[in-house]
Amino acid sequence: VMSSVETKSPGTFTRGVREKTSSEKGFDTDRMIFKDDELSYALGKEGSTRKKLEGAAGAILQYIGHVAFIAGTLAERTRCKEFIQWLLAQRRGSVTI
């Protein structure tokens, strides 16, 4: 619902939101800000890439406007951000892991 509102009225939920990384080991939320082209790539057709990232990392990943909200334990959030960084690096060239 928040994503739909943000699409119709940009800034409703994301105005003033900055990137955030929590060091909390338990359940918490991190935020990542995306550029236009990065967002569409990380979302994928019908959200397929987002769902794959979410499943592989074990975290909850939702996009509201250009902000990715990543929820889960510290390990899940860290893994999800790492997977997103790999995905975006893959767009620019080959990735070596």
Side-chain angles (χ1 to χ4, degrees), residues 9-81:
S9 181
T12 302
F13 296 108
T14 59
R15 183 175 295 116
V17 171
R18 290 180 279 204
E19 291 209 5
K20 172 193 159 220
T21 301
S22 171
S23 58
E24 180 70 34
K25 286 187 178 187
F27 192 87
D28 205 353
T29 305
D30 290 353
R31 296 185 296 255
M32 290 178 74
I33 310 262
F34 286 94
K35 297 177 186 139
D36 286 333
D37 57 333
E38 293 174 336
L39 178 65
S40 59
Y41 192 73
L43 184 57
K45 186 178 180 181
E46 296 179 6
S48 62
T49 305
R50 180 195 63 82
K51 292 172 189 170
K52 288 175 188 175
L53 288 166
E54 187 177 55
I60 300 167
L61 174 62
Q62 291 293 317
Y63 300 118
I64 310 294
H66 285 74
V67 182
F69 290 84
I70 306 164
T73 64
L74 179 60
E76 292 166 345
R77 295 189 318 267
T78 302
R79 201 168 31 244
C80 190
K81 287 188 281 186

